[in-house]
Amino acid sequence: MNTKPKILVVDDESRNLRLMEALLLPLGYDILLARDGVEALEKIQETPVDLILLDIMMPKMDGFEVARRLKADDDTKIIPIVMVTALQDVADRIKALESGADDFLTKPVDKIEVYARVASLLKVKAYNDHMIDYQKKLESEVAERTKELRKAFEKIKVSSLETIYRLTRASEYKDEDTGAHIQRMSNYSAVIAQAMGLNERTVESILYAAPMHDVGKIGIPDKILLKPGKLDPDEWVIMKQHTLMGGRILEGSHAGFIRLGETVAVTHHEKWDGTGYPKGLKGKNIPLVGRIVAIADVFDALTSKRPYKEPFSLEKSYEIIKEGRGTHFDPDVVDAFFASEEKLLAIKEKFRDEHESLLIRL
Ligand SMILES: [Fe+2]
């Protein structure tokens, strides 16, 4: 690789070009020559240079304009420009500085002065090049590390979600519900949350929290949980405890979606009119996630087969949900439910009881 610094000399007088070339070539630089501003810009396009010695008064395009253009372009703005001029006028020097010139040489040029200016500006350019390379390297290293971190985070997230799914499935094994029920109702909950305008992060948290709604059932005796007939009042008292038991299983977590899972477990049987359990909370005193999961849970129970019932038709299920608007369910959540009908049916179709997948997707 040729690492010789490249210097572009721009002057409309051949004599000046030759003079500068004769001065600089013996120092081991690569010299490029241009006779006017337009040619200078073309040369720089073709070959990136490290320094420009630029005459001011030239035909076609003067040195001020050349400097302005080079300094306005991200690719060329770091190239140092030395204005070489016979002008002693202060106003012109100011104009040159404003155009982006980094230094001056006065014609007729002094050999030592040329050497000094060129050497020091090339040093600055080399340092800047090094810094730019270093920054690029750092940026790509940071991007690479960020990618790795994101991958590792995704892996942890997927495995912790899978753990939750497997644990909730373990608790559901005692019940008539299936793994597909968990997936349907958590996806229903997320879709309804989305229709209610909740942000993406909250929707995702609800997707992960909803499966934990019935983990407390693990604490309900089999003779009650699996009783084929209707529960008597005493048995109901125990059955209702699955909400609080779920809350106790999940309480005190540092993970946001498990804390949300705790809320879901405790509040998914509360009703809008205050007749639900375990606390008989009313209206907006019921956390929104509980109001959302309530409708998702009921809709799935209605449209699914149970040992004691065939699935209700969609029409009948919709009717029951409409009837519950303002009594069992939050009216706004019911509206969001019906606004999401298409997506809900797609989820119902995707997670049918016979095929189960541990991966859930919106
Ligand atoms: Fe429940």
Side-chain angles (χ1 to χ4, degrees):
M1 203 175 87
N2 185 2
T3 53
K4 276 199 224 169
K6 288 189 183 58
I7 301 173
L8 174 68
V9 184
V10 192
D11 203 304
D12 57 328
E13 281 182 45
S14 307
R15 200 174 57 89
N16 289 339
L17 288 177
R18 279 200 310 276
L19 171 71
M20 212 53 106
E21 195 176 27
L23 278 178
L24 296 170
L25 267 179
L27 299 179
Y29 302 127
D30 264 355
I31 309 298
L32 286 84
L33 303 173
R35 275 166 189 80
D36 57 64
V38 176
E39 194 188 342
L41 292 177
E42 280 168 7
K43 286 246 157 100
I44 293 166
Q45 281 285 316
E46 284 164 26
T47 318
V49 299
D50 300 299
L51 178 66
I52 301 166
L53 301 179
L54 186 60
D55 186 23
I56 293 182
M57 306 304 260
M58 291 182 293
K60 289 190 193 171
M61 188 189 292
D62 66 15
F64 298 128
E65 183 57 23
V66 175
R68 255 194 300 274
R69 292 195 185 195
L70 291 173
K71 293 297 177 182
D73 184 335
D74 277 347
D75 290 336
T76 54
K77 70 179 178 194
I78 67 153
I79 305 171
I81 297 174
V82 180
M83 291 283 199
V84 188
T85 176
L87 300 171
Q88 289 294 343
D89 189 348
V90 175
D92 268 327
R93 295 210 158 202
I94 291 171
K95 199 174 168 194
L97 278 176
E98 284 170 353
S99 312
D102 297 280
D103 212 333
F104 301 96
L105 278 170
T106 310
K107 287 180 188 174
V109 292
D110 174 76
K111 187 176 161 183
I112 300 301
E113 211 177 336
V114 171
Y115 289 170
R117 291 273 201 291
V118 166
S120 75
L121 283 171
L122 282 175
K123 229 183 258 174
V124 171
K125 171 68 165 47
Y127 176 75
N128 285 341
D129 283 350
H130 170 74
M131 288 310 286
I132 287 169
D133 277 355
Y134 182 64
Q135 196 182 339
K136 274 187 191 155
K137 223 171 112 188
L138 267 185
E139 276 168 10
S140 82
E141 252 175 52
V142 168
E144 188 56 34
R145 291 272 178 284
T146 309
K147 214 169 108 191
E148 281 170 15
L149 266 180
R150 202 166 287 150
K151 257 193 193 160
F153 173 72
E154 273 305 312
K155 237 176 155 177
I156 292 169
K157 194 165 143 188
V158 165
S159 60
S160 66
L161 288 175
E162 187 176 329
T163 307
I164 285 171
Y165 264 80
R166 291 192 185 277
L167 285 176
T168 49
R169 282 177 78 185
S171 72
E172 302 269 336
Y173 255 98
K174 290 184 66 184
D175 200 2
E176 74 275 15
D177 293 331
T178 64
H181 159 71
I182 301 171
Q183 289 173 322
R184 282 193 302 266
M185 68 84 64
S186 60
N187 279 280
Y188 290 157
S189 303
V191 160
I192 296 164
Q194 214 168 31
M196 296 201 68
L198 301 185
N199 65 43
E200 212 177 301
R201 245 184 100 182
T202 310
V203 170
E204 201 190 20
S205 298
I206 290 176
L207 175 74
Y208 300 144
M212 294 177 248
H213 67 293
D214 269 346
V215 286
K217 279 187 177 171
I218 209 156
I220 303 297
D222 286 0
K223 67 175 179 11
I224 295 174
L225 194 64
L226 303 175
K227 187 176 172 181
K230 274 197 156 192
L231 299 182
D232 66 35
D234 287 344
E235 290 168 335
W236 254 117
V237 170
I238 295 169
M239 186 61 180
K240 287 176 179 177
Q241 292 295 312
H242 82 274
T243 50
L244 297 172
M245 286 177 185
R248 279 198 294 278
I249 290 170
L250 300 167
E251 77 188 348
S253 173
H254 293 294
F257 67 97
I258 295 185
R259 278 206 306 274
L260 199 65
E262 178 190 348
T263 306
V264 167
V266 175
T267 61
H268 72 283
H269 286 294
E270 297 290 0
K271 292 184 180 175
W272 185 250
D273 61 5
T275 61
Y277 63 88
K279 291 183 182 155
L281 297 177
K282 206 171 175 179
K284 294 201 168 160
N285 286 330
I286 309 166
L288 179 58
V289 66
R291 284 178 263 148
I292 290 173
V293 172
I295 196 167
D297 194 25
V298 169
F299 176 62
D300 195 56
L302 291 172
T303 51
S304 300
K305 187 174 158 44
R306 291 285 187 271
Y308 52 87
K309 79 163 191 48
E310 285 303 307
F312 288 156
S313 68
L314 268 183
E315 292 68 32
K316 172 103 178 131
S317 305
Y318 286 162
E319 209 178 289
I320 292 171
I321 286 170
K322 269 183 198 149
E323 271 169 23
R325 189 179 186 278
T327 53
H328 189 158
F329 306 117
D330 175 350
D332 290 343
V333 179
V334 173
D335 295 344
F337 172 88
F338 282 108
S340 324
E341 189 186 350
E342 224 169 277
K343 285 184 182 170
L344 296 171
L345 293 182
I347 292 164
K348 185 174 181 306
E349 182 56 32
K350 187 175 174 192
F351 299 107
R352 284 196 304 224
D353 284 322
E354 54 269 30
H355 64 83
E356 296 175 15
S357 151
L358 274 170
L359 287 175
I360 45 168
R361 289 280 176 266
L362 267 181

